[in-house]
Amino acid sequence: MRVLVVEDQAALADSVARVLRREGMAVDVAYDGEAALQRTAVLDYDVVVLDRDLPGVHGDQVCRALVARESPSRVLMLTASGTVAERVEGLGLGADDYLPKPFAYAELVARIRAVGRRSRPAAPPVLVNGDLRLDPAQRIATRAGARLALSPKEFAVLEHLLTAQGRVVSAEELLDRVWDEAADPFTTTVKATINRLRAKLGDPPLIVTVARAGYRI
């Protein structure tokens, strides 16, 4: 899942980003509304976590712009005000969900996953391929009943490949959906992650390399 966190309080924005990255999400951060509009014009995020009370370009303007351009990104709006009237107004702007500050990180993660599922075709709650099972909600992957010790990136790559349901996924797509904007597009990190993942999955091999195209399960 690719997420954009838009929050002018840098400490809070960076803290949220760290939590979401530990959950295996690819996270970019924008500290104002103008930067958010620039990033969303270039990338289609699964979820935009949007502070409503942004200085300069207000969060309401960002939300309206995403709706106007028919962006596929889902919007989870944050605000210091938790009144019913504020929530109704925020949802009326086109936000998909609304979370008042302060919030528990566990709830934020759960809400991001919930609205993120609406940004793409529905996938089963547990992804299965032969004796491989992956539970995105519980962050558990097993093969032949044995739990796999996967890093967040390895888990995210495996989830993306399973969700593709046999479709060939290019290295560029994996870099775009699993890593954030800091990733070097010329790096071999995707190949290295695939190699580590193959080793952990064991035999018989599950991930197939398709020459000059990418990978599939």
Side-chain angles (χ1 to χ4, degrees):
M1 186 181 296
R2 189 76 180 260
V3 179
L4 176 65
V5 176
V6 189
E7 168 62 63
D8 64 305
Q9 298 180 44
L12 176 59
D14 294 342
S15 178
V16 168
R18 284 194 298 272
V19 169
L20 300 184
R21 286 171 184 145
R22 284 201 299 268
E23 292 292 323
M25 302 180 196
V27 185
D28 297 334
V29 178
Y31 300 107
D32 57 61
E34 183 177 355
L37 290 175
Q38 291 172 351
R39 293 175 189 274
T40 54
V42 175
L43 286 170
D44 288 334
Y45 291 93
D46 294 298
V47 180
V48 176
V49 180
L50 177 64
D51 179 28
R52 187 175 186 184
D53 307 307
L54 294 171
V57 179
H58 196 269
D60 289 0
Q61 293 174 262
V62 175
C63 188
R64 289 193 189 98
L66 291 173
V67 172
R69 69 169 73 133
E70 298 182 349
S71 168
S73 303
R74 300 296 179 172
V75 177
L76 171 57
M77 190 169 277
L78 306 176
T79 184
S81 176
T83 66
V84 172
E86 285 281 335
R87 291 199 297 272
V88 170
E89 186 178 5
L91 294 170
L93 292 169
D96 297 275
D97 200 357
Y98 200 93
L99 185 62
K101 299 177 183 178
F103 49 80
Y105 283 137
E107 181 178 6
L108 175 64
V109 169
R111 286 175 179 261
I112 289 173
R113 292 198 186 284
V115 298
R117 285 193 290 270
R118 303 176 202 163
S119 69
R120 54 189 185 274
V126 177
L127 302 170
V128 179
N129 187 291
D131 61 355
L132 175 65
R133 293 174 58 86
L134 184 143
D135 185 335
Q138 298 295 321
R139 311 301 295 167
I140 295 173
T142 62
R143 187 168 192 194
R147 187 162 177 170
L148 303 172
L150 304 181
S151 72
K153 291 302 182 192
E154 291 162 358
F155 191 98
V157 167
L158 183 58
E159 180 180 359
H160 196 77
L161 290 174
L162 285 170
T163 303
Q165 298 182 329
R167 175 177 62 85
V168 176
V169 179
S170 68
E172 291 78 11
E173 180 180 338
L174 286 172
L175 198 64
D176 182 56
R177 305 311 301 173
V178 177
W179 280 265
D180 57 31
E181 63 183 357
D184 182 353
F186 301 105
T187 185
T188 59
T189 189
V190 172
K191 183 178 180 180
T193 303
I194 289 287
N195 288 339
R196 291 195 303 270
L197 187 54
R198 280 178 169 144
K200 291 183 179 181
L201 288 173
D203 294 319
L206 286 176
I207 301 175
V208 177
T209 298
V210 181
R212 296 182 295 280
Y215 309 94
R216 65 178 175 85
I217 290 182

